[in-house]
Amino acid sequence: RRDRLHWLVTDGAHAALQDWPGGRQPDRLIRVGSVTRNVGLERLSARRNLADPGRVDLLLKVTNGGVAAETRVVVFATDAGEAARSSQRLDPATSALVAASIPASARVRATLQPGDALAEDDTIVLDLAPLKRHRVATDPTCPGALLAAVAAHPALAPAPQEATDVEAALECGSRPSARRVATLRVLADHAPMPPPGPLRWASAVAESRRIRLDAERLQLAAQLQARPADVVLLAAGDAAVIVGRSGASKLLETSLDFGSMAAARGPEVPLLVNLMFERLLGGDLLDRVAITDRGPASAVVAPRGRPRATAGTQADAGVPASSQARILNPWTSPILGAAVLVLLWEIVALGRQLRRDSAGAGPE
């Protein structure tokens, strides 16, 4: 507001000070705070190790937000104790990326040693729940290629068929179980035969998720009947191949013969397993990332350019003279008010004297 004086109390570290509204500076900058050195943990992310699903790869961003070069030790720890550590040297206003690999855990904590004045950014905790493997109860009568694809999937963990602490189930028997978990049911009620028509994905399957399948490499071992409320995800001509059944529990049924696909030595089996379990469990299973991010300014304590203010009531050296002149002493307004009253009194007194002088100088 142009009709007001703007005073700013600041440590000078916020990036917005470089772009003060209206292209002008505050009328008074008062610098507070004396800390100019700080190293902080800005961001921590994690994803499953591609070679070993039992491990998690970490990437930590460490930022020096102060004015001096610093050396810190980064310690990674889980509930089981320390998992890794690394020593880092950072120049002022720079960042470093620290990579580490740890055993899979429920959470991971990264800590800077030694700590500094801004203690809250010396530790960062990341919940690794999004990366946990989903336990799947598996039917031993399923084709070996199908069981192998589930076992090799980095986000799936096979469990015995009778296990109860599972999130999904794989069934291949003719009698469905009463288990109320997300279930993939593979049906086979006749000898495998080629699809009766061209393969086509439903619009319910995103374009990026559709697998390029060669009809000549596929065999169907059952005849599926889709009900009105069901969703046909993959069809061959007029025949349903993968059907999402309606109901309280998620259920996918398929007539694909995974044994014949495995004999063709193609990539179809693991790709289809991933697609169907993503549909059952929700979301991407292969490339999930867990992340916590405080933002690029979270560790910054060093002043950024404009704020060169002095403390107390001194005008800032970086403020233009015209702005400094508008900064008033607290006693200025009362003094000016009193002066105006005295001036008015003098004007009234002079007016009265002028009238008296005019009356005395009348005609003789």
Side-chain angles (χ1 to χ4, degrees):
R1 295 184 56 175
R2 296 290 180 177
D3 60 340
R4 295 289 187 270
L5 295 179
H6 300 117
W7 287 29
L8 177 63
V9 182
T10 177
D11 63 359
H14 200 284
L17 294 174
Q18 303 292 336
D19 186 24
W20 188 261
R24 55 191 291 266
Q25 290 182 322
D27 299 281
R28 176 71 64 84
L29 285 172
I30 301 176
R31 273 288 303 278
V32 297
S34 59
V35 175
T36 58
R37 299 179 63 173
N38 180 61
V39 177
L41 302 179
E42 178 183 327
R43 182 178 66 244
L44 179 59
S45 60
R47 71 194 324 158
R48 297 186 193 92
N49 184 283
L50 295 179
D52 183 358
R55 297 188 67 81
V56 173
D57 293 335
L58 306 175
L59 189 63
L60 174 69
K61 186 176 182 181
V62 187
T63 298
N64 183 353
V67 297
E70 304 281 359
T71 299
R72 295 288 190 277
V73 174
V74 178
V75 179
F76 297 97
T78 66
D79 294 341
E82 182 177 323
R85 66 169 50 210
S86 173
S87 180
Q88 302 292 323
R89 185 185 186 280
L90 296 95
D91 291 327
T94 63
S95 299
L97 295 177
V98 183
S101 180
I102 64 170
S105 177
R107 66 190 60 84
V108 62
R109 181 177 64 258
T111 306
L112 285 177
Q113 296 179 355
D116 48 35
L118 193 57
E120 290 187 357
D121 66 2
D122 292 340
T123 300
I124 192 168
V125 179
L126 178 62
D127 183 8
L128 299 179
L131 305 183
K132 73 181 183 68
R133 302 180 73 187
H134 304 274
R135 282 174 56 83
V136 179
T138 54
D139 185 346
T141 65
C142 289
L146 186 56
L147 295 174
V150 172
H153 197 292
L156 303 178
Q161 186 177 18
E162 63 276 7
T164 57
D165 57 336
V166 296
E167 297 176 67
L170 172 64
E171 297 179 352
C172 297
S174 57
R175 278 179 35 186
S177 69
R179 192 190 306 270
R180 292 187 175 275
V181 295
T183 301
L184 171 60
R185 184 174 298 151
V186 181
L187 302 179
D189 56 19
H190 60 67
M193 60 181 58
L199 299 171
R200 68 179 188 278
W201 290 100
S203 59
V205 180
E207 186 72 32
S208 60
R209 299 292 184 185
R210 298 176 187 179
I211 304 168
R212 294 184 179 180
L213 299 173
D214 185 355
E216 296 182 358
R217 299 163 65 95
L218 301 184
Q219 299 281 315
L220 305 182
Q223 185 174 1
L224 295 180
Q225 297 294 332
R227 298 184 291 268
D230 295 338
V231 178
V232 178
L233 302 176
L234 178 65
D238 295 330
V241 177
I242 302 177
V243 177
R245 299 296 188 186
S246 61
S249 301
K250 288 187 177 181
L251 171 63
L252 285 183
E253 290 188 341
T254 180
S255 60
L256 289 166
D257 180 62
F258 289 93
S260 60
M261 279 190 285
R265 298 184 179 275
E268 291 85 0
V269 175
L271 290 176
L272 287 166
V273 165
N274 178 69
L275 173 69
M276 290 187 288
F277 275 102
E278 283 187 343
R279 188 83 184 182
L280 288 171
L281 297 172
D284 182 19
L285 293 180
L286 284 179
D287 200 29
R288 279 192 175 176
V289 175
I291 186 170
T292 180
D293 191 343
R294 290 172 171 156
S298 59
V300 176
V301 297
R304 299 190 179 192
R306 279 193 178 186
R308 299 191 191 93
T310 56
T313 59
Q314 298 295 320
D316 182 75
V319 178
S322 60
S323 296
Q324 292 187 33
R326 295 183 5 241
I327 301 177
L328 304 179
N329 187 283
W331 293 102
T332 301
S333 295
I335 292 173
L336 285 176
V340 169
L341 292 176
V342 172
L343 180 60
L344 291 174
W345 177 263
E346 292 291 340
I347 292 174
V348 171
L350 287 173
R352 289 177 178 176
Q353 183 178 351
L354 180 61
R355 286 196 296 272
R356 286 196 301 268
D357 291 345
S358 298
E364 296 181 354

